[in-house]
């Protein structure tokens, strides 16, 4: 009996193919980082020329965008993106959490089993279809909602506008909110279901009502997962292009109200990539906008990973 | 006693308030989502015809002339199909690298974070990146470039799906194979691949669905054409872009076809999703849980 | 004593935490050795050093010498898969491979280059019989292994482990997840097997140690306190800690 490497031929072959697999799989696993770095480098490289012309600060905060006159300020588009994304989150997250709690904690098992596949399916519906729905249903509704609000409350900050069409931040926000809600619900339901039954029973056993048990025992346990769900929804909303472009109006002015039209960064890039090679530095400016999107996504993810790691420690300790 | 009573009443007020909120949320959500399918169906069905799925656009199509959407249907299938194959060839080794060969758990955590970032990168940015690579190599918008960019976009989706199921495999089960003297590769084939087969399959179809529905990445890289794609070097149409372009037309007939395109896209996704469910069940015969 | 495995000055660390402290032990050939001791004393850790399972975990460090016959299994030129082929493990719970009953047993044969179908079939039958499972499964070999009961699953794992023809069988509480009858079945199999194999089991059940063991090892807080023939250690222990444990005071 021999235990050394100089064993049988077949042992050598097995070990060799294992080593080969280790090498190639680990090489493959380094590709994501490589892709990310390459992407950032390529975009940065194409963006740099613009900074000979405007400072990075002006590029981000300037509010004039006249490429043919060499004026490149992104702030209008940044604010468009911020408005739409925030609105989508505000509209989507609370109802999604409530709906998930309802499905897991209150609804009958059969209801959950019936609804979950439908939710997963809707998470897979292409965003352009959500855009079509926005165009057909949301855009026509928005002006009526505006009139109604004005009739009841008079002039309110953020809610009053002279925009006669429905193409608006609000339409974009609603479309995005509905688009990301299947993702958020699907993850939140999964997270709530993994909270051990004992946690609920412990709270109920000391006389808590059902909602109190959820509020004080279940939700704190599920918080990291719910945050992760919201971050995923946020990522999707933030980078969505077509669905938003179809309903948001694409007017380059800083919105004052949710009924105003807006012009998010993604729409800017998608609308203008065709002529970007024909105006000097236009391409650099648009690639700069893309780089900005990439950087924000990286920052988001790193921050949320840090928060989740912290929360994970707290929950486990 | 009265304090207890007040407490009791408040608790129950809160209970019923949130009960109403939760039910309301669930109903609104379900209605909104049903509305989406409903509106696409209501507007798309009248515009559907046999021509839509069997013919490419003919002369004057965008003025209301004859023809159909076959160019976009096939283009989308090629883009998503090609992308899925490429992405699978990269994603499976990545997932196995993470779950079988990871040199340390910190390395794995970092790689997963990278993948999460890539998952969140907007498809438009993938498109812009692909566009830069394309022009730097002197290529034009083409099916090949579109497939490449779609596959990049699909990799994080696929790896994530595979990783999710592979991580759930109990270490005892892996040890069962190692205990028999299996190498890591043999263990991966016997345990990890078989145990996560349904999950791998679901991940692949999920990525296919994302590939077929994505527009922003192919906008830059695959272009659009009325012809049915015949070579990797030529441009290719896609359904999401067909929807988008036709909906911005002033002609009602053309817009109606946009709805038809949206309906076709939705039906394709429904088919993929149904397929994934059915096959996942079949593949889980030997899975241990 | 003819020792099959000999351990010298073995220290194992999980990160900064030392789980085994300078353990010396000789494991006799073709006998059943039982490792006993209170929870957390390092029994599983000791067992895992014998088939190099610590290799699979980050941050675990093994120092010292483990000799299998005359080969140091931690020597750099030793192939770990071969160590694990020679020294097999029956886990606490039956962990099935995601395949049919037949393939669970055949897997080990196939990775060790048995390609002839007839030969594989013959071996599968032989070891299923040896594990006392053959009669119960011979008509359903292609069914998923998950269709077996827990006790049958554990015997399947035994057959699977025997099929690669190890010389040493390790068992980490191999009967603790089983009902009393299945446990008896496994114990019976182990007793029959000891003429051909060196068997090392960890057990929490003192009566099981009495029933099975020829040789007993008592551990406490990472140290090996006492080792010797079962009759001696179990009936007249030398160390006060062993005494306390055996009398149920620990
Ligand atoms: N992977 C690990 N990482 C860190 N510490 C560990 C690890 N595994 C075991 N330990 C610690 O090492 C010590 C010995 O553990 P071991 O599992 O060997 O005990 P045991 O005797 O088998 O106990 P039991 O009878 O409960 O199975 C314990 O203090 C345990 O907490
Ligand atoms: Mg143990």
């Amino acid at each position: 009996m021999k235990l050394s490497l100089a064993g049988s031929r077949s042992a050598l072959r097995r070990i060799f193919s294992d080593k080969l697999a280790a090498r190639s799989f680990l090489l493959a696993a380094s590709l994501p980082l490589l892709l990310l770095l390459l992407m950032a480098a390529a975009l940065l490289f194409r963006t740099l020329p613009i900074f000979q012309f405007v400072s990075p600060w002006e590029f981000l905060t300037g509010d004039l965008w006249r490429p043919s006159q060499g004026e490149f300020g992104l702030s209008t588009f940044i604010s468009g993106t911020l408005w739409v994304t925030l609105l989508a989150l505000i509209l989507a997250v609370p109802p999604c959490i409530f709906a998930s709690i309802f499905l897991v904690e209150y609804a009958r098992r059969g209801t959950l089993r019936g609804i979950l596949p439908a939710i997963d399916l809707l998470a897979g519906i292409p965003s352009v279809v959500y855009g079509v729905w926005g165009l057909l249903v949301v855009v026509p509704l928005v002006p009526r909602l505006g009139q109604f609000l004005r009739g009841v409350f008079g002039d309110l900050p953020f809610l009053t506008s002279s925009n006669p069409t429905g193409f608006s931040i609000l339409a974009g926000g609603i479309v995005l909110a509905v688009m990301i809600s299947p993702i958020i619900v699907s993850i939140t339901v999964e997270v709530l279901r993994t909270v051990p039954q004992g946690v609920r029973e412990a709270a109920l056993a000391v006389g808590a009502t059902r909602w109190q048990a959820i509020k004080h025992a279940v939700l704190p346990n599920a918080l990291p997962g719910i945050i992760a769900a919201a971050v995923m929804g946020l990522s999707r909303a933030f980078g969505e292009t077509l669905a938003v472009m179809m309903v948001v109006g694409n007017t380059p002015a800083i919105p004052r109200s949710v009924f105003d039209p807006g012009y998010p960064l993604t729409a800017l890039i998608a609308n203008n990539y065709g002529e970007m090679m024909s105006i000097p530095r236009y391409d650099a400016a648009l690639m700069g906008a893309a780089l900005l999107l990439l950087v924000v996504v990286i920052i988001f993810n790193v921050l949320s990973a840090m928060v989740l790691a912290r929360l994970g420690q707290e929950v486990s300790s | 006693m009265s304090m207890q009573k007040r407490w009791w009443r408040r608790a129950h007020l809160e209970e019923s308030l949130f009960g109403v909120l939760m039910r309301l949320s669930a109903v609104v959500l379900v209605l909104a989502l049903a509305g989406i399918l409903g509106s696409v169906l209501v507007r798309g069905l009248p515009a559907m015809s046999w021509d839509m799925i069997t013919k490419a656009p003919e002369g004057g199509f965008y003025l209301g002339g004859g023809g159909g959407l076959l160019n976009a249907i096939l283009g989308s299938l090629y883009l998503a199909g090609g992308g899925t194959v490429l992405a699978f060839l990269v994603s499976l080794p990545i997932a196995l690298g993470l779950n079988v060969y990871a040199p340390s758990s910190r390395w794995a955590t970092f790689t997963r974070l990278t993948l999460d970032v890539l998952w969140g990168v907007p498809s438009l940015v993938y498109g812009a990146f692909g566009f830069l690579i394309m022009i730097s190599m002197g290529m034009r918008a083409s099916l090949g470039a579109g497939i490449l960019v779609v596959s990049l976009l699909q990799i994080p989706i696929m790896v994530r799906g595979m990783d999710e199921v592979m991580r759930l495999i109990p270490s005892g089960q892996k040890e069962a194979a190692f205990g028999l003297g299996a190498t890591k590769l043999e263990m991966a084939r016997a345990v990890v691949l078989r145990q996560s087969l349904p999950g791998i399959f679901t991940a692949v179809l999920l990525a296919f669905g994302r590939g077929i529905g994505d527009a922003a990445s192919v906008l830059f890289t695959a272009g659009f054409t009325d012809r049915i794609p015949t070579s990797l070097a030529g441009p290719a149409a896609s359904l999401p872009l067909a929807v988008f372009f036709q909906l911005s037309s002033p002609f009602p007939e053309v817009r109606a076809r946009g709805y038809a395109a949206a309906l076709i896209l939705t039906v394709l996704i429904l088919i993929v999703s149904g397929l994934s469910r059915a096959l996942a069940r079949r593949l889980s015969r030997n899975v241990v849980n | 004593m003819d020792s099959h495995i000999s351990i010298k000055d073995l220290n194992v660390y999980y990160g900064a935490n030392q789980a085994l402290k300078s353990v010396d032990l000789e494991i006799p050939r073709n006998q059943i050795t039982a490792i006993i001791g209170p929870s957390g004393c390092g029994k599983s850790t000791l067992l895992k050093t014998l088939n190099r399972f610590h290799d699979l975990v980050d941050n675990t460090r093994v120092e010292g010498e483990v000799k299998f016959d005359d080969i140091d299994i931690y020597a750099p030129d030793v192939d770990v898969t071969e160590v694990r082929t020679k020294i097999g493990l029956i886990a606490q719970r039956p962990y099935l491979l995601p395949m049919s009953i037949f393939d669970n047993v055949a897997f080990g044969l196939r990775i060790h280059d048995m390609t002839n179908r007839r030969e594989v079939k013959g071996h599968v039958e032989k070891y299923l019989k040896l594990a006392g499972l053959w009669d119960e499964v011979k008509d359903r070999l292609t069914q998923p292994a998950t269709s077996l009961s827990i006790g049958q699953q554990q015997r399947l794992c035994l057959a699977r482990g025997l099929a690669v023809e190890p010389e040493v069988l390790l068992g980490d509480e191999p009967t603790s997840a089983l009902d009393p009858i299945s446990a008896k079945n496994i114990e019976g199999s182990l007793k029959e097997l000891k003429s051909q194999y060196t068997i090392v089991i960890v057990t929490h059940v003192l009566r099981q140690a009495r029933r099975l063991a020829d040789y007993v090892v008592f551990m406490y807080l990472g140290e090996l306190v006492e080792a010797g023939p079962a009759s001696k250690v179990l009936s007249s222990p030398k160390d006060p800690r062993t005494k306390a444990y055996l009398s149920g005071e620990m």
Side-chain angles (χ1 to χ4, degrees), chain A residues 14 18 28-29 39 95 98 101 106 121-122 130 133 136 209-211 215 232 236 242 245 273 276, chain B residues 14-15 18 22 25 33 36 39 43 94 101 119 131 181 184-186 210 215 219-220 244 259 270:
Chain A
R14 292 172 55 216
D18 188 52
M39 215 184 254
F98 282 135
I101 297 176
Y106 289 81
L121 196 147
L122 285 158
Y130 285 88
W133 172 73
L136 287 173
T209 64
R210 225 152 146 199
W211 166 249
K215 186 169 82 174
M232 285 186 81
R236 282 295 291 276
L242 250 62
M245 232 165 109
Y273 84 101
M276 75 182 193
Chain B
E14 204 179 310
E15 176 87 36
F18 279 97
M22 281 184 288
S25 303
L33 296 172
I36 287 165
S39 60
R43 300 301 287 263
I94 296 179
Y101 287 100
W119 189 94
F131 183 69
K184 286 188 171 181
L185 184 61
E186 287 157 349
R210 271 298 291 280
L219 179 66
F220 288 89
F244 183 68
Y259 301 132
L270 295 186

Side-chain angles (χ1 to χ4, degrees), chain A residues 1-5 10 13-15, chain C residues 68 71 77 79 82 111-113 167:
Chain A
M1 181 219 59
K2 245 186 169 173
L3 271 178
S4 72
L5 259 181
S10 80
R13 204 197 57 228
R14 292 172 55 216
I15 292 164
Chain C
F68 174 61
I71 298 148
D77 67 335
D79 168 24
E82 219 151 327
I111 62 173
H112 295 295
D113 277 310
E167 298 177 19

Side-chain angles (χ1 to χ4, degrees), chain B:
Chain B
M1 188 61 216
S2 84
M3 221 175 84
Q4 230 174 18
K5 219 172 189 171
R6 211 179 306 147
W7 175 87
W8 189 86
R9 210 182 291 149
R10 237 196 68 195
H12 279 258
L13 200 68
E14 204 179 310
E15 176 87 36
S16 38
L17 177 69
F18 279 97
V20 169
L21 269 180
M22 281 184 288
R23 284 173 176 84
L24 203 65
S25 303
V27 169
V28 167
L29 205 67
V30 169
L31 283 184
L33 296 172
I36 287 165
L37 294 183
S39 60
V40 171
L41 212 60
V42 167
R43 300 301 287 263
L45 264 185
M48 276 305 285
S49 68
W50 196 239
D51 276 4
M52 280 296 135
I53 54 172
T54 55
K55 284 189 181 157
E58 286 162 6
F61 184 71
Y62 298 101
L63 304 167
L69 297 163
L70 189 63
N71 62 326
I73 298 174
L74 284 181
S76 269
L77 288 176
Y78 291 165
L79 283 166
T84 304
V85 171
L86 280 187
F88 179 75
L89 293 178
V90 182
S91 299
L92 191 63
I94 296 179
L96 289 176
L98 274 170
N99 287 284
V100 178
Y101 287 100
S104 75
S105 52
R106 277 180 68 182
W107 175 88
T109 308
F110 179 76
T111 305
R112 288 193 174 104
L113 177 61
T114 321
L115 284 160
D116 281 352
V117 173
L118 284 177
W119 189 94
V121 170
S123 66
L124 184 76
V125 175
Y126 281 96
F129 171 67
F131 183 69
L132 287 185
I133 300 289
M134 225 169 64
I135 54 174
S136 73
M137 301 200 315
M139 279 164 66
R140 308 239 254 109
S142 62
L143 179 60
I147 287 178
L148 276 178
V149 170
V150 168
S151 76
L152 291 184
L153 178 88
Q154 288 173 314
I155 288 171
I157 299 166
M158 237 188 242
V159 176
R160 198 193 178 90
M162 295 177 179
D163 186 44
E164 234 162 55
V165 283
M166 290 184 184
R167 283 173 89 170
L168 293 181
I169 298 173
S171 59
Q173 211 181 1
K174 298 184 193 172
E175 285 171 7
F178 287 134
L180 300 171
T183 62
K184 286 188 171 181
L185 184 61
E186 287 157 349
M187 187 287 291
R189 282 174 49 178
V191 177
V192 178
L193 283 188
R194 283 161 176 269
Q195 184 75 6
S196 49
L197 199 60
I200 292 176
F201 201 80
T202 312
V204 169
L205 285 180
L206 186 72
F208 181 81
R210 271 298 291 280
I212 215 170
D214 196 70
S217 62
V218 294
L219 179 66
F220 288 89
T221 49
F224 199 88
T225 171
D226 285 353
R227 291 218 203 95
I228 289 169
T230 49
S231 102
L232 286 174
S238 54
L239 276 170
L241 290 182
V243 176
F244 183 68
F245 291 148
Q246 294 180 69
L247 283 191
S248 35
S249 159
F251 298 97
E253 303 93 323
V254 179
R255 283 209 300 273
R257 285 173 189 159
Y259 301 132
L263 180 61
I264 296 172
L265 190 55
T266 310
V267 169
L268 277 178
I269 293 288
L270 295 186
I271 292 174
V272 169
S273 168
L275 208 66
S276 138
R277 229 164 274 282
L279 281 172
R281 204 169 307 139
R282 178 164 298 184
L283 292 174
S284 52
R285 177 179 138 94
N286 277 317
V287 166
V288 178
N289 39 32

Side-chain angles (χ1 to χ4, degrees), chain A residues 24-306:
Chain A
S24 37
F25 291 1
L26 288 178
L27 190 72
S30 67
L31 288 179
L33 182 63
L34 200 69
L35 174 61
L36 195 59
L37 292 177
L38 204 63
M39 215 184 254
L43 290 174
L44 184 65
F45 182 71
R46 288 296 289 223
T47 306
L48 281 178
I50 196 84
F51 295 137
Q52 293 165 356
F53 212 65
V54 295
S55 73
W57 180 249
E58 277 175 278
F59 184 55
L60 291 178
T61 60
D63 53 9
L64 285 179
W65 181 265
R66 272 178 258 159
S68 50
Q69 282 142 57
E71 290 180 276
F72 298 100
L74 285 179
S75 76
T76 324
F77 308 100
I78 294 176
S79 75
T81 292
L82 285 180
W83 273 81
V84 176
T85 313
L86 281 182
L87 193 59
L89 272 193
I90 293 169
L91 291 176
V93 172
C96 284
I97 294 178
F98 282 135
S100 310
I101 297 176
F102 174 73
L103 287 176
V104 176
E105 310 282 341
Y106 289 81
R108 264 177 267 132
R109 293 236 135 206
T111 315
L112 182 62
R113 255 202 299 271
I115 284 190
L116 268 193
I119 298 271
D120 282 342
L121 196 147
L122 285 158
I125 298 278
S127 62
V128 73
V129 175
Y130 285 88
V132 170
W133 172 73
L135 216 50
L136 287 173
V137 178
V138 181
V139 170
L141 272 180
V142 164
R144 284 193 227 160
L145 181 67
Q147 274 169 7
F148 171 78
L149 284 181
R150 181 179 287 188
V152 178
F153 301 106
D155 283 355
L156 289 170
F158 300 127
L159 290 175
T160 311
S161 157
S162 53
N163 177 15
T165 74
F167 291 94
S168 57
I169 296 282
L170 182 60
I174 293 177
V175 167
L176 286 182
V178 174
M179 184 185 97
I180 62 176
S181 56
I183 303 172
I184 300 182
V185 169
S186 155
I187 302 176
T188 309
V189 162
E190 208 50 56
V191 168
L192 289 174
R193 285 211 289 188
T194 56
V195 174
Q197 201 53 38
V199 169
R200 295 178 184 89
E201 282 162 9
L204 293 173
V206 296
T209 64
R210 225 152 146 199
W211 166 249
Q212 283 173 325
I214 292 165
K215 186 169 82 174
H216 296 294
V218 177
L219 286 183
N221 261 282
L223 190 62
I226 294 177
I227 290 179
V231 169
M232 285 186 81
L234 178 65
S235 292
R236 282 295 291 276
F238 171 81
E240 178 50 39
T241 308
L242 250 62
V244 189
M245 232 165 109
M246 289 163 80
V247 299
V248 82
N250 302 329
T251 309
I254 292 190
R256 308 256 163 255
S257 142
V258 295
F259 291 99
D260 281 342
Y263 205 160
L265 283 164
T266 46
L268 171 76
I269 302 171
N271 271 332
N272 297 295
Y273 84 101
E275 62 243 44
M276 75 182 193
M277 302 312 263
S278 47
I279 302 172
R281 295 184 201 84
Y282 203 2
D283 60 329
L286 289 182
M287 289 304 142
L291 180 63
L292 180 62
L293 292 173
L294 178 64
V295 169
V296 171
V297 166
I298 294 176
I299 293 175
F300 262 5
N301 274 278
V302 172
L303 281 183
S304 77
M306 275 158 53

